[in-house]
Amino acid sequence: AEAAALKQLASDYMHPEVGVKTTDPALFGRNYFNRYSAPETEDERAEILAEAAALKKSAVAYMHPEVGVCSEDATLFGRNYFERASAPDVESMEEAEERAKILAEAAALKQLASDYMHPEVGVKTTDPTLFGRNYFNRYSAPETEEDEFADERAEILAEAAAFKKSAVAYLHPEVGVCSEDATLFGRNYFERASAPDVESM
């Protein structure tokens, strides 16, 4: 019961716009500020509230230009800045179409440049009737390299790969040695049985 009463008090405090509702006709109240013996308040408060309302209206009009201006005064009118007699000439339809073509060509060139610079992306299409043949693997393709040259090139590439692996292993000892052969093993030189005693930490 106390929790419900506290909740009711909190709701009344947070939402004064709801007002007080009662079903007892014997209950009534007087407004402290509108009583006959209340002192007259200053007009400054009313002016401040009017200025605040005007500022709020200006802020709403600035933040929401899509609302537009509404007026009930028939004598009010306005001129369109862009359609006035002294307005500069706007772009014609021909110029607009030419500009659209230039932008479309620029977009196509950008796409071609992207395809050229990033061949790993590949070509994507949703048309199942499109297909292509590999130019280098066709039956009538000429032989590009003799077997002797191909074997020699393969040996050179294998040696280069081995040199690269050795260089990486030398420059990055923290990587360690990885092997999948279970018969490979090694001994630590510094921890062997015949190693001399070293000074402990």
Side-chain angles (χ1 to χ4, degrees), residues 34-55:
N34 294 340
R35 71 189 190 279
Y36 292 106
S37 60
E40 295 181 0
T41 58
E42 298 180 359
D43 295 335
E44 185 179 359
R45 179 172 176 274
E47 293 178 359
I48 293 172
L49 292 176
E51 289 179 359
L55 289 173

Side-chain angles (χ1 to χ4, degrees), residues 5-180:
L6 289 173
K7 179 180 179 183
Q8 183 65 35
L9 287 174
S11 299
D12 295 339
Y13 181 79
M14 293 299 294
H15 301 284
E17 69 276 4
V18 174
V20 180
K21 296 179 182 179
T22 179
T23 56
D24 191 349
L27 292 178
F28 62 92
R30 232 175 14 157
N31 192 330
Y32 176 80
F33 300 99
N34 294 340
R35 71 189 190 279
Y36 292 106
S37 60
E40 295 181 0
T41 58
E42 298 180 359
D43 295 335
E44 185 179 359
R45 179 172 176 274
E47 293 178 359
I48 293 172
L49 292 176
E51 289 179 359
L55 289 173
K56 178 181 178 183
K57 185 176 181 181
S58 298
V60 170
Y62 180 79
M63 294 299 293
H64 299 283
E66 69 276 4
V67 174
V69 180
C70 299
S71 177
E72 298 177 357
D73 191 349
T75 62
L76 292 178
F77 62 91
R79 252 189 341 171
N80 191 332
Y81 176 80
F82 301 100
E83 295 179 359
R84 69 190 189 279
S86 60
D89 294 335
V90 295
E91 189 179 45
S92 63
M93 290 298 295
E94 296 177 357
E95 294 175 349
E97 291 176 357
E98 185 177 358
R99 184 168 61 86
K101 289 180 181 178
I102 292 171
L103 291 177
E105 289 179 359
L109 290 173
K110 179 182 178 183
Q111 183 65 35
L112 289 173
S114 299
D115 295 340
Y116 181 79
M117 293 299 293
H118 300 283
E120 68 277 5
V121 174
V123 179
K124 297 179 181 178
T125 179
T126 56
D127 191 349
T129 62
L130 293 179
F131 60 92
R133 221 173 24 156
N134 192 332
Y135 175 80
F136 301 99
N137 293 340
R138 70 189 191 280
Y139 292 106
S140 59
E143 295 182 2
T144 56
E145 192 175 16
E146 296 180 0
D147 292 339
E148 296 179 359
F149 294 143
D151 295 339
E152 186 176 359
R153 185 169 62 84
E155 291 177 1
I156 293 172
L157 290 176
E159 290 179 0
F163 283 135
K164 179 182 177 182
K165 186 175 180 181
S166 298
V168 171
Y170 180 78
L171 287 172
H172 299 283
E174 69 277 4
V175 174
V177 179
C178 300
S179 176
E180 298 178 355

Side-chain angles (χ1 to χ4, degrees), residues 177-191:
V177 179
C178 300
S179 176
E180 298 178 355
D181 192 347
T183 61
L184 293 178
F185 61 92
R187 237 181 3 165
N188 191 332
Y189 175 79
F190 300 100
E191 295 180 358

